[in-house]
Amino acid sequence: MVVPVEMSRKRPVSLSSSLARRLEQLILDGTLKSGKPIPSERQLAERLGVSRNILREALKELRGRGVIDTQHGRGSIVKGLVPNLEQGNALTYLFREHPRTLYDLLEVRELLEGRAAYLAADRGTEEDFHRITHAFEAMEQAGQESTDPVRSAQLDHAFHQTISEASHNPVLVHTLQSLMELMLNSVLASVNNLYHRETSKKQIDRHHRQIYNAVIGRQPDWAQKAATAHIRNVRERLLEIEQEEQRLDRSSDWEKLLR
Amino acid sequence: MVVPVEMSRKRPVSLSSSLARRLEQLILDGTLKSGKPIPSERQLAERLGVSRNILREALKELRGRGVIDTQHGRGSIVKGLVPNLEQGNALTYLFREHPRTLYDLLEVRELLEGRAAYLAADRGTEEDFHRITHAFEAMEQAGQESTDPVRSAQLDHAFHQTISEASHNPVLVHTLQSLMELMLNSVLASVNNLYHRETSKKQIDRHHRQIYNAVIGRQPDWAQKAATAHIRNVRERLLEIEQEEQRLDRSSDWEKLLR
DNA sequence: TCATTTCAACTGGTACTACCACTTTGACTA
DNA sequence: TAGTCAAAGTGGTAGTACCAGTTGAAATGA
């Protein structure tokens, strides 16, 4: 009921403003995910222990700043923060023209995933670990039952994303997300090839298990090492695949795939 | 073939938002003069024929846009209109109100700059080194002559950018660029503070020289170590500055109490 | 059976009232 | 004269009631 408001600002912070702040923090932490709807005003107001009036003022503030989008009768959705990181245009062009950029991307991703795993092991909460476990088990189970490469890629992505979110670094999360979207949008087909090869699949599964155990076991250094090794492995595999394909079809499978 | 123009206006404008517009118009017309107080909420609400709730939401919008300034128990005054046009991006606010995000960003930047320096030392061409040298010398020279913090920041940025470009990883370059734009647009003032402090400046110059020498000398590991240390140092300095500013805020509160 | 209509239960938008917290002012007191 | 303090003004919150779009599932029609 009574919500303590701590502050050290010049002027006393109004409840509605600090509310807006709290909501933003929730978005940054990933509790409220970009693109997803947020609870209704009545629910939120009750859950946060404030009147709907004041909750509305807070939402108004977020809305004015473009953080959320609201429609009468439907609800509000998170529009996402850090829009400047939508690097779509410039880089999608690059991918079309120079497929090798994929390895450059994986080079960056290797760094970021490693750091994310480190931080996740270091400052992830029990709830984070719960989500990670859930994603991991879903991935393992699907790996035994189904052979659908698309689903595998999705679960893979989900697993890595839960880990990055456990890092509690929103900039890291959003950057990785941007890179992943870029990758999935442009070269999904090639990535899927990985899951068709038994040797690759086994290796990937082993890496995933290493990452998972290290994070859950709160072993930051191991987690980082496992994650970087994982991405590096993916990168090398893709390189092999590409060379193979080039041998088979000199004239570019790539461009067809990327178009 | 004539297409009604206003068909795209699917969403009705909420009363509170249009109210905010009307109030802004009143300010533009001079009815509400800059610096002067505006009528109380109760008066305004009655005069405009709306509920006080909705009037408050409108004021909240103006307040969020920096058009008016409100104090509990006193009232609201017009701060002036059109303060900053490009303020639109939520990031400016985000970084101002959530300083932690800045450290999150620098945490990511530390990784990327380190890797960029490593790669630059490893696979940079002579031409790259030429550009880096050019940028480095310009920075050093300006450091002795001028004390313009803005120019210093620009040259600093240019130096780091030439290095990242020497990494020949476009994804890395682009990601770093995005992060830098984010930072410069939002917290330029704070960053500039760094160049005002002699001790900071000396330390920064030393780090830059270390990075430069390591890259030019083709010492990837040293380059990486120097670059990460550099960014980490910046991060810690900014933390100090922020804490200082918070102390200043509190002391100014004391003055107010004594007066 | 399938397409259509209808309606109930959501959602956000607006109004009104009562009260709390802060600031200013000025009359009253010491 | 200097200090006290209470009233009246201000913005801040809470709560209720109702209006207005949206949705989806049950009821209806062909």
Side-chain angles (χ1 to χ4, degrees), chain B residues 53-93:
Chain B
N53 259 345
I54 249 51
L55 189 267
R56 276 181 59 78
E57 287 190 12
L59 291 181
K60 186 91 191 173
E61 200 168 326
L62 296 183
R63 205 170 330 171
R65 233 178 278 147
V67 176
I68 65 174
D69 189 32
T70 305
Q71 290 185 34
H72 193 170
R74 303 179 86 182
S76 299
I77 63 170
V78 179
K79 278 174 72 178
L81 209 49
V82 199
N84 36 5
L85 290 176
E86 47 74 38
Q87 181 260 353
N89 56 357
L91 294 175
T92 309
Y93 167 86

Side-chain angles (χ1 to χ4, degrees), chain A residues 14-157:
Chain A
S14 73
L15 177 54
S16 61
S17 287
S18 64
L19 256 186
R21 221 188 141 90
R22 280 176 65 185
L23 290 174
E24 277 179 334
Q25 198 58 51
L26 287 181
I27 296 174
L28 288 176
D29 290 345
T31 307
L32 299 179
K33 289 174 189 175
S34 171
K36 299 242 172 171
I38 67 179
S40 74
E41 295 182 350
R42 290 170 176 83
Q43 281 183 36
L44 259 185
E46 187 184 8
R47 190 149 65 188
L48 296 175
V50 300
S51 78
R52 199 178 144 221
N53 264 342
I54 248 53
L55 191 266
R56 275 181 60 79
E57 289 190 11
L59 291 181
K60 185 92 191 173
E61 202 169 325
L62 297 183
R63 206 169 330 168
R65 231 177 279 127
V67 176
I68 64 174
D69 189 32
T70 305
Q71 290 187 33
H72 192 171
R74 303 179 86 184
S76 299
I77 63 170
V78 178
K79 280 174 72 178
L81 302 166
V82 200
N84 285 16
L85 278 185
E86 314 296 305
Q87 7 188 327
N89 303 335
L91 283 184
T92 26
Y93 166 80
L94 269 180
F95 274 91
R96 243 199 310 278
E97 297 301 317
H98 304 279
R100 284 179 178 274
T101 309
L102 175 59
Y103 309 122
D104 293 331
L105 189 153
L106 285 171
E107 191 170 61
V108 175
R109 222 192 120 198
E110 180 182 322
L111 269 181
L112 299 180
E113 292 279 5
R115 184 64 177 173
Y118 179 97
L119 292 177
D122 187 37
R123 49 197 199 200
T125 68
E126 288 304 317
E127 196 184 340
D128 291 328
F129 288 180
H130 218 263
R131 276 199 283 267
I132 293 174
T133 301
H134 189 67
F136 178 69
E137 289 173 348
M139 200 170 55
E140 271 208 327
Q141 186 177 349
Q144 294 175 346
E145 297 172 354
S146 146
T147 57
D148 178 13
V150 173
R151 177 157 173 73
S152 294
Q154 284 175 342
L155 291 174
D156 180 300
H157 182 193

Side-chain angles (χ1 to χ4, degrees), chain B residues 147-201:
Chain B
T147 57
D148 178 12
V150 174
R151 178 157 173 72
S152 294
Q154 285 174 341
L155 291 174
D156 181 301
H157 183 192
F159 173 64
H160 284 286
Q161 184 154 331
T162 55
I163 289 183
S164 75
E165 284 168 352
S167 76
H168 290 276
N169 181 331
V171 178
L172 188 55
V173 173
H174 189 88
T175 306
L176 267 173
Q177 175 101 23
S178 296
L179 294 180
M180 278 307 286
E181 282 175 5
L182 231 60
M183 219 175 97
L184 292 178
N185 284 338
S186 51
V187 288
L188 186 56
S190 286
V191 175
N192 284 343
N193 276 342
L194 284 179
Y195 293 91
H196 278 147
R197 297 151 189 261
E198 266 310 304
T199 59
S200 299
K201 194 173 176 313

Side-chain angles (χ1 to χ4, degrees), chain B residues 159-257:
Chain B
F159 173 64
H160 284 286
Q161 184 154 331
T162 55
I163 289 183
S164 75
E165 284 168 352
S167 76
H168 290 276
N169 181 331
V171 178
L172 188 55
V173 173
H174 189 88
T175 306
L176 267 173
Q177 175 101 23
S178 296
L179 294 180
M180 278 307 286
E181 282 175 5
L182 231 60
M183 219 175 97
L184 292 178
N185 284 338
S186 51
V187 288
L188 186 56
S190 286
V191 175
N192 284 343
N193 276 342
L194 284 179
Y195 293 91
H196 278 147
R197 297 151 189 261
E198 266 310 304
T199 59
S200 299
K201 194 173 176 313
K202 281 219 161 52
Q203 210 162 18
I204 288 176
D205 288 343
R206 210 187 65 235
H207 280 147
H208 280 160
R209 205 168 306 118
Q210 285 177 353
I211 297 172
Y212 173 72
N213 287 331
V215 170
I216 298 296
R218 291 203 180 280
Q219 304 287 344
D221 290 316
W222 292 5
Q224 170 163 353
K225 191 164 275 185
T228 51
H230 172 53
I231 303 293
R232 183 175 302 135
N233 183 264
V234 170
R235 188 152 118 249
E236 288 164 357
R237 291 280 174 225
L238 283 177
L239 189 61
E240 291 173 10
I241 289 178
E242 196 216 347
Q243 287 173 344
E244 237 170 75
E245 283 176 352
Q246 280 190 355
R247 276 198 296 274
L248 289 181
D249 278 355
R250 292 204 193 92
S251 63
S252 67
D253 259 71
W254 293 348
E255 286 175 21
K256 195 174 171 187
L257 288 176

Side-chain angles (χ1 to χ4, degrees), chain A residues 212-259:
Chain A
Y212 173 73
N213 288 331
V215 170
I216 298 295
R218 292 204 180 279
Q219 303 287 346
D221 290 315
W222 293 3
Q224 171 163 355
K225 192 164 278 186
T228 49
H230 171 53
I231 304 294
R232 183 176 301 133
N233 183 264
V234 170
R235 189 153 115 250
E236 289 165 355
R237 291 282 174 221
L238 282 177
L239 189 60
E240 291 173 9
I241 290 177
E242 194 211 356
Q243 287 171 345
E244 239 171 73
E245 285 177 350
Q246 276 189 353
R247 275 197 298 275
L248 294 179
D249 181 357
R250 200 73 187 174
S251 79
S252 79
D253 230 347
W254 281 95
E255 281 154 23
K256 253 186 286 176
L257 290 173
L258 295 177
R259 207 204 54 75

